Amino acid sequence: CGSAPEWTKRLKRAFADGVVAKTYLALATGRPAEDRFTVDAPLAITGASAVRVRMHVAAGGLPSLTEFQVLERRTAADGAAVALLACRPRTGRQHQIRAHLHHAGLPLVGDKIYGPDEAIFDRFTRHAMTDDDRARLRLPRQALHAWRLELPHPRSGERVALETPLPADLAAFWAACAA
């Protein structure tokens, strides 16, 4: 029948072997030109930013590929274009989805590092954010949600899909956007 450590080992192996498909939902600022697009851009921490953990597209970076699908386009209350995206990272780099969206000119709503101004992150860490910072971010947190996970069941090997809806705060923001 198997034990919990055995199932855990099998699940870890499935992640390591790349047979687990992860899909995230993102609310991005901007209007993507295409309904489907891919960002294939190497990522590295380059020191080109005051934010030490910020990833940058860099020639010497690690290979990084993310596929995006526009699920819907709307307009935020302040007139900004916003898109609901399904994001499928094909590699697993730190901040990959956020960095790739920033690179594509579609930063996440609420992202203090890759959003409208990285200086907001500095003010955030010093508890000195301004009302203007909050207005520019539109949300107090980044609008990225782990939505769907598809993996082989550790016992049967049968494909299992797990899904969870947008959290209430992100759903409320999206609902307030005009279609």
Side-chain angles (χ1 to χ4, degrees):
C1 207
S3 65
E6 182 182 331
W7 305 139
T8 301
K9 192 175 181 179
R10 288 182 187 179
L11 284 171
K12 286 181 179 181
R13 173 59 44 207
F15 276 94
D17 290 346
V19 296
V20 175
K22 297 176 272 184
T23 306
Y24 297 79
L25 291 178
L27 298 174
T29 305
R31 193 161 303 281
E34 311 261 337
D35 287 341
R36 290 180 181 268
F37 60 98
T38 299
V39 177
D40 184 359
L43 294 174
I45 296 177
T46 64
S49 170
V51 180
R52 292 180 318 165
V53 296
R54 184 174 171 157
M55 301 297 282
H56 296 270
V57 171
L62 295 171
S64 304
L65 185 133
T66 310
E67 296 170 348
F68 297 96
Q69 178 184 357
V70 178
L71 301 176
E72 195 174 343
R73 293 173 177 86
R74 293 189 183 177
T75 304
D78 63 2
V82 181
L84 174 64
L85 305 171
C87 314
R88 294 176 187 90
R90 299 303 185 197
T91 51
R93 310 292 174 229
Q94 174 178 298
H95 299 180
Q96 178 175 319
I97 293 170
R98 297 164 67 196
H100 277 172
L101 283 172
H102 174 80
H103 180 68
L106 300 163
L108 282 175
V109 172
D111 196 329
K112 295 170 189 71
I113 295 176
Y114 299 93
D117 178 359
E118 73 176 38
I120 291 173
F121 181 72
D122 177 59
R123 288 190 292 278
F124 170 74
T125 61
R126 293 184 290 110
H127 304 284
M129 280 181 53
T130 66
D131 289 340
D132 183 59
D133 291 338
R134 288 179 192 82
R136 290 176 71 198
L137 290 170
R138 294 180 185 86
L139 280 172
R141 69 171 181 108
Q142 65 195 18
L144 184 63
H145 169 65
W147 175 45
R148 186 170 194 158
L149 190 66
E150 296 177 54
L151 63 152
H153 189 281
R155 185 175 186 191
S156 68
E158 189 176 324
R159 200 88 179 138
V160 176
L162 307 168
E163 193 172 294
T164 183
L166 275 175
D169 60 335
L170 300 185
F173 173 84
W174 185 243
C177 293

